[in-house]
Amino acid sequence: MIDHARDLVSVREATERLLSAAAKLDNADVTQPSRLPGWSRGHVLAHLARNADALVNVLEGRPMYVSAEARDGDIERDAPRPLDVQLADVRASAERFQEAAAAPADWSRTVELRNGVTDSASRVPFRRWVEVELHHVDLGIGYELEDLPAEFTEREIDFLADRFTGHPEVPPTRLTDGTRAWSTGREADAPEVTVRGTPADLLGWLAGRRDGSALTVEGGPLPSLPPL
């Protein structure tokens, strides 16, 4: 069962980890490429700030973004800012998100995200946690998938495996870290492919952060996953 209040605490803790790590950078570091193609570290920080505001919109019943073009334009506008401005914006927007999430609300209601995606309001804090943790890794400043909290990694594998479940282009697949197992891909009586690896490597592959070369595959080639 989703505990949105507990997830909000995890979001705050993850945000503090990111801000503390990013504070060791300088203005030149912010202009350097991140691990996301085409994005500098400034793009990642700008996206984190604007995503927090976008999720406030979601919680308060407004469209997440005015448009895809406006979303991209805001990130491009904010990416070149100096480090101190970037960090102040990430912190202030994170506080706005926490304040919006602290307001009395029906957490069982359905909310709309980007591209017509809907979800329970109770999962919005977890979605923000995902943004903060994975983009901390994307900054390329020493925080790796192996450093993610174990609970987060397991839940994000759950979430992504579920996201690809039923996808016609993904074969019936069993994922396992040797202790736990997940299923994803097309519905079938039995999996065609079994993918084994560490939790970090499984998450990295599912989230598009690693190519899967560290994984062991039985029953066929490593499935190609659709973009997130």
Side-chain angles (χ1 to χ4, degrees), residues 113-135:
L113 298 143
R114 289 181 68 199
N115 303 321
V117 172
T118 59
D119 203 350
S120 167
S122 62
R123 204 196 296 266
V124 171
F126 178 69
R127 285 178 175 272
R128 176 60 182 175
W129 191 11
V130 172
E131 293 286 328
V132 176
E133 293 285 17
L134 291 185
H135 287 316

Side-chain angles (χ1 to χ4, degrees), residues 15-220:
T15 302
E16 287 301 323
R17 283 194 297 273
L18 183 149
L19 287 168
S20 295
K24 299 174 184 177
L25 303 176
D26 59 29
N27 288 335
D29 293 328
V30 176
T31 68
Q32 295 302 304
S34 74
R35 291 174 172 174
L36 293 177
W39 271 17
S40 68
R41 291 185 178 123
H43 284 87
V44 174
L45 293 171
H47 166 62
L48 279 167
R50 301 289 69 78
N51 172 263
D53 287 337
L55 290 176
V56 170
N57 289 337
V58 168
L59 290 175
E60 295 182 349
R62 297 184 294 274
M64 187 169 179
Y65 295 100
V66 173
S67 66
E69 294 76 17
R71 170 189 177 272
D72 294 345
D74 287 348
I75 294 170
E76 289 295 333
R77 178 198 66 207
D78 294 343
R81 299 175 302 177
L83 177 64
D84 60 339
V85 178
Q86 296 276 16
L87 298 186
D89 191 16
V90 171
R91 184 177 294 281
S93 59
E95 287 302 321
R96 289 192 291 271
F97 173 73
Q98 290 283 339
E99 289 170 9
D106 173 13
W107 285 95
S108 67
R109 73 191 187 279
T110 298
V111 295
E112 185 170 342
L113 298 143
R114 289 181 68 199
N115 303 321
V117 172
T118 59
D119 203 350
S120 167
S122 62
R123 204 196 296 266
V124 171
F126 178 69
R127 285 178 175 272
R128 176 60 182 175
W129 191 11
V130 172
E131 293 286 328
V132 176
E133 293 285 17
L134 291 185
H135 287 316
H136 189 169
V137 174
D138 294 334
L139 286 171
I141 55 176
Y143 191 67
E144 305 296 340
L145 293 171
E146 286 78 7
D147 298 317
L148 296 169
E151 177 199 353
F152 170 83
T153 298
E154 182 173 356
R155 287 179 61 188
E156 180 64 350
I157 292 174
D158 283 339
F159 180 80
L160 292 172
D162 183 66
R163 179 167 181 166
F164 296 127
T165 294
H167 198 288
E169 296 178 9
V170 180
T173 302
R174 178 177 182 266
L175 313 171
T176 181
D177 62 2
T179 301
R180 294 154 297 187
W182 301 263
S183 61
T184 194
R186 293 191 301 271
E187 301 291 348
D189 293 334
E192 293 178 9
V193 179
T194 296
V195 178
R196 303 178 187 274
T198 66
D201 282 326
L202 288 171
L203 174 57
W205 172 60
L206 289 167
R209 265 64 179 185
R210 291 184 180 172
D211 63 8
S213 58
L215 300 170
T216 300
V217 189
E218 301 169 6

